[in-house]
Amino acid sequence: MATAGVEGLYERTAYTIDSSRIAGLQLTKDHYDFVGAVATLSAQALSYPALAISPENGVAAAIRYQHDWETTGPAPGQTPGRGWWNEWRGAASAYLALPLPGFAHWVLAARVAAGIRGGPLADPYDVGGASGDPYEIVPGYVIGPG
Protein backbone atom coordinates (compact mmCIF):
# COMPACT_ATOMS: atom_id res chain seq x y z
CA MET A 1 0.00 0.00 0.00
CA ALA A 2 1.25 3.47 -0.83
CA THR A 3 -0.11 6.93 -0.02
CA ALA A 4 0.79 10.45 -1.06
CA GLY A 5 -0.47 13.79 0.15
CA VAL A 6 -0.08 17.53 -0.24
CA GLU A 7 -1.22 20.01 2.41
CA GLY A 8 -1.17 23.71 3.08
CA LEU A 9 -0.65 25.11 6.55
CA TYR A 10 -0.88 28.27 8.58
CA GLU A 11 0.95 28.62 11.89
CA ARG A 12 0.93 31.51 14.33
CA THR A 13 3.13 31.72 17.42
CA ALA A 14 2.41 34.58 19.83
CA TYR A 15 4.55 35.70 22.74
CA THR A 16 3.41 37.69 25.76
CA ILE A 17 5.12 39.03 28.85
CA ASP A 18 3.42 38.84 32.22
CA SER A 19 3.75 42.52 33.16
CA SER A 20 2.79 41.81 36.77
CA ARG A 21 6.10 39.95 37.20
CA ILE A 22 8.46 41.86 34.90
CA ALA A 23 7.84 45.57 34.49
CA GLY A 24 9.19 47.56 31.55
CA LEU A 25 10.26 44.59 29.42
CA GLN A 26 9.19 44.74 25.76
CA LEU A 27 9.40 42.23 22.93
CA THR A 28 10.93 43.28 19.62
CA LYS A 29 8.46 40.98 17.88
CA ASP A 30 5.41 39.58 19.68
CA HIS A 31 4.22 37.09 17.04
CA TYR A 32 5.30 35.06 14.03
CA ASP A 33 3.00 33.98 11.20
CA PHE A 34 3.99 31.26 8.75
CA VAL A 35 2.30 29.77 5.69
CA GLY A 36 3.65 26.62 4.15
CA ALA A 37 3.29 23.53 2.06
CA VAL A 38 3.81 19.90 3.06
CA ALA A 39 4.27 16.88 0.78
CA THR A 40 4.24 13.32 2.11
CA LEU A 41 4.85 9.92 0.58
CA SER A 42 4.61 6.58 2.37
CA ALA A 43 4.67 2.93 1.40
CA GLN A 44 4.32 -0.30 3.34
CA ALA A 45 4.20 -4.02 2.77
CA LEU A 46 3.19 -5.56 6.11
CA SER A 47 1.56 -8.73 7.37
CA TYR A 48 -1.09 -8.00 10.02
CA PRO A 49 -2.82 -11.28 10.94
CA ALA A 50 -6.20 -11.39 12.67
CA LEU A 51 -5.93 -10.72 16.45
CA ALA A 52 -2.33 -9.52 16.03
CA ILE A 53 -1.17 -6.74 18.35
CA SER A 54 1.45 -5.40 15.92
CA PRO A 55 2.61 -5.84 12.34
CA GLU A 56 4.47 -9.12 12.00
CA ASN A 57 6.47 -9.32 8.78
CA GLY A 58 7.35 -6.56 6.36
CA VAL A 59 8.62 -3.03 5.97
CA ALA A 60 7.23 0.51 6.02
CA ALA A 61 8.82 3.77 4.90
CA ALA A 62 7.74 7.41 4.80
CA ILE A 63 9.23 10.72 3.70
CA ARG A 64 7.97 14.25 4.35
CA TYR A 65 9.00 17.66 2.97
CA GLN A 66 7.84 20.96 4.46
CA HIS A 67 8.60 24.54 3.37
CA ASP A 68 7.39 27.53 5.42
CA TRP A 69 7.48 31.25 4.67
CA GLU A 70 7.22 33.92 7.35
CA THR A 71 4.44 36.40 6.54
CA THR A 72 4.75 38.79 9.51
CA GLY A 73 7.68 40.73 8.08
CA PRO A 74 10.94 41.59 9.82
CA ALA A 75 11.29 42.83 13.36
CA PRO A 76 12.22 46.49 13.77
CA GLY A 77 15.82 46.99 12.68
CA GLN A 78 16.04 43.72 10.70
CA THR A 79 16.26 43.38 6.95
CA PRO A 80 13.30 41.82 5.09
CA GLY A 81 13.47 38.69 2.99
CA ARG A 82 15.06 36.32 5.53
CA GLY A 83 11.90 34.54 6.70
CA TRP A 84 11.74 30.96 5.48
CA TRP A 85 12.79 27.42 6.42
CA ASN A 86 12.43 23.92 5.04
CA GLU A 87 12.62 20.41 6.42
CA TRP A 88 13.07 16.85 5.17
CA ARG A 89 12.05 13.93 7.43
CA GLY A 90 12.16 10.23 6.75
CA ALA A 91 11.54 7.01 8.64
CA ALA A 92 11.75 3.30 7.90
CA SER A 93 10.54 0.34 9.98
CA ALA A 94 11.02 -3.41 9.62
CA TYR A 95 9.17 -6.23 11.41
CA LEU A 96 10.04 -9.93 11.68
CA ALA A 97 7.82 -12.53 13.40
CA LEU A 98 9.72 -15.03 15.53
CA PRO A 99 8.44 -18.60 16.11
CA LEU A 100 8.58 -18.45 19.91
CA PRO A 101 5.92 -19.76 22.34
CA GLY A 102 3.30 -17.54 23.93
CA PHE A 103 -0.18 -16.07 23.53
CA ALA A 104 0.87 -13.56 20.87
CA HIS A 105 3.57 -13.88 18.25
CA TRP A 106 6.93 -12.44 19.20
CA VAL A 107 8.07 -9.71 16.81
CA LEU A 108 11.51 -8.26 16.28
CA ALA A 109 11.13 -4.63 15.17
CA ALA A 110 13.61 -1.98 14.05
CA ARG A 111 13.08 1.70 13.22
CA VAL A 112 15.35 4.35 11.77
CA ALA A 113 14.39 8.02 11.45
CA ALA A 114 16.28 11.09 10.27
CA GLY A 115 15.60 14.73 9.59
CA ILE A 116 17.32 17.85 8.33
CA ARG A 117 16.27 21.49 8.47
CA GLY A 118 17.67 24.44 6.56
CA GLY A 119 17.05 28.11 5.95
CA PRO A 120 17.53 31.34 7.88
CA LEU A 121 14.72 30.59 10.37
CA ALA A 122 15.38 26.87 10.83
CA ASP A 123 15.32 25.78 14.47
CA PRO A 124 17.46 22.86 15.64
CA TYR A 125 15.77 19.57 16.44
CA ASP A 126 14.83 18.68 20.00
CA VAL A 127 15.44 15.05 20.90
CA GLY A 128 13.39 13.34 23.58
CA GLY A 129 11.35 15.07 26.22
CA ALA A 130 12.06 16.93 29.41
CA SER A 131 13.11 14.89 32.40
CA GLY A 132 11.18 15.39 35.61
CA ASP A 133 14.27 15.59 37.80
CA PRO A 134 17.99 15.71 37.16
CA TYR A 135 19.80 12.52 38.11
CA GLU A 136 23.46 12.50 39.10
CA ILE A 137 25.06 9.24 37.93
CA VAL A 138 28.49 10.02 39.34
CA PRO A 139 29.56 13.18 41.15
CA GLY A 140 29.67 16.02 38.64
CA TYR A 141 27.78 14.19 35.84
CA VAL A 142 24.03 14.94 35.68
CA ILE A 143 21.43 13.52 33.27
CA GLY A 144 18.19 15.38 32.64
CA PRO A 145 17.50 19.10 32.67
CA GLY A 146 15.24 19.00 35.73
Side-chain angles (χ1 to χ4, degrees), residues 88-116:
W88 284 94
R89 276 194 260 174
S93 302
Y95 305 90
L96 178 63
L98 302 174
L100 298 173
F103 172 73
H105 292 158
W106 293 51
V107 176
L108 181 62
R111 178 177 166 85
V112 173
I116 187 169

Side-chain angles (χ1 to χ4, degrees), residues 11 34 66-69 83-87 117-122:
E11 177 183 349
F34 288 93
Q66 179 174 341
H67 188 89
D68 285 5
W69 297 270
W84 63 273
W85 66 274
N86 57 27
E87 173 182 61
R117 288 182 179 165
L121 294 180

Side-chain angles (χ1 to χ4, degrees), residues 2-136:
T3 61
V6 177
E7 306 169 25
L9 63 89
Y10 170 74
E11 177 183 349
R12 181 181 181 100
T13 303
Y15 300 98
T16 60
I17 295 175
D18 185 356
S19 59
S20 67
R21 294 177 179 238
I22 303 172
L25 187 62
Q26 291 183 333
L27 296 169
T28 57
K29 196 169 188 179
D30 66 350
H31 72 280
Y32 293 87
D33 291 326
F34 288 93
V35 295
V38 178
T40 58
L41 178 63
S42 66
Q44 64 182 19
L46 298 171
S47 170
Y48 213 117
L51 303 178
I53 59 173
S54 72
E56 291 193 358
N57 288 305
V59 295
I63 191 164
R64 178 182 194 269
Y65 175 74
Q66 179 174 341
H67 188 89
D68 285 5
W69 297 270
E70 183 181 7
T71 59
T72 49
Q78 293 181 341
T79 58
R82 63 179 284 278
W84 63 273
W85 66 274
N86 57 27
E87 173 182 61
W88 284 94
R89 276 194 260 174
S93 302
Y95 305 90
L96 178 63
L98 302 174
L100 298 173
F103 172 73
H105 292 158
W106 293 51
V107 176
L108 181 62
R111 178 177 166 85
V112 173
I116 187 169
R117 288 182 179 165
L121 294 180
D123 290 329
Y125 280 106
D126 293 329
V127 178
S131 173
D133 293 315
Y135 182 74
E136 189 169 10

